[in-house]
Every structure is written in structure tokens, then in C-alpha cells.
Amino acid sequence: MATTVVVHDAITEGWEGNVQPYALQPEPLIHGARLRRMVKEAVIDMTGGAGTVTATSFIPAGAYNVQFTMRVTTVIVGAGAASMIIGDGTDTDIFGATIAFAAGTLVTPASGTAAPSRYASAANLVFTANAGQFDTGVVRVVMFYNLATAPTS
């Protein structure tokens, strides 16, 4: 599995490692407190012949109000599988259940089975084939989330 991740924190110009900017409150308050709205995007290759594909620690520690979206950009083909579920490593289908493999298939926050609230520690993004395996295909995922920084004094 090859994964390309880009994220921005709205604080600096350009891309930082794997984060892209979206300003909610870009500058810290006088005592260091800050609320940042983050956007994290990844292109995930679904090849490999396994029943699961995992983007390890895709959801950062402290993320809350997580909104997950996805598009199948290249049709997914898998022996014995025609759909998938998308979870966070704890709840197997929190982001989507019975998601089709056809190119152009969309996942929105309404596709999930529950509303994720807060992640105290980093969590995975886990794609599981409903029976069978993933052989080929590509998805683009975009996750929106908040990060809060407590006052420093």
C-alpha cells in the first residue's frame, strides 16, 4: 500500500509535512490558547491482496469533531469482495458501511454509523473488504477535524 498524505495547520504558509491550511483562529490568544481547524488528505492505494488496508495513526491525538470524506478515484477490484467498511481501528464502520468499489463512489459524514467525537490518542484509518480482499484501486480521503491548545500560562 502506498499512501501520500498532505496536511496543513493554517498557521504557516504552504504545506507542513502532511497538513494543509484552513484558518479558524490562526494566531494564539495572549496566553497561548488556540483552536485550529485542520484538513488532512491522503491518496491510498488499495492493492496488496489483503482483506484490510490500514493508514496507521491517520487520525491525530487530540482530534475532535472529525468529519471524514472519501472518493474512489480508481475502481477497486478484489477477489470475493464488492464493498467495504471504513473504521478507526476501534469502531469498524464508524466512517462508512457497505461502500461500493465503483469509481466515483463518495463517502460523506452521513455515510458513517456513528458520529466520532474525540480521539485522546492517535487512531488508524482502516478499510475492510466485506468478504474477500483488495487487489487494485485507489481512494482519496479528506478528513476535517479540530485541534485545541490549552493556555500556556
Side-chain angles (χ1 to χ4, degrees), residues 64-92:
Y64 68 95
N65 193 23
V66 174
Q67 302 293 307
F68 177 81
T69 64
M70 185 192 85
R71 174 184 291 274
V72 176
T73 59
T74 303
V75 65
I76 299 169
V77 177
S83 66
M84 66 180 148
I85 57 177
I86 307 165
D88 62 8
T90 301
D91 184 333
T92 59

Side-chain angles (χ1 to χ4, degrees), residues 37-75:
R37 180 78 172 148
M38 308 294 281
V39 178
K40 189 169 192 176
E41 177 180 349
V43 175
I44 300 174
D45 185 346
M46 306 297 279
T47 61
T52 62
V53 171
T54 302
T56 306
S57 297
F58 187 79
I59 304 166
Y64 68 95
N65 193 23
V66 174
Q67 302 293 307
F68 177 81
T69 64
M70 185 192 85
R71 174 184 291 274
V72 176
T73 59
T74 303
V75 65

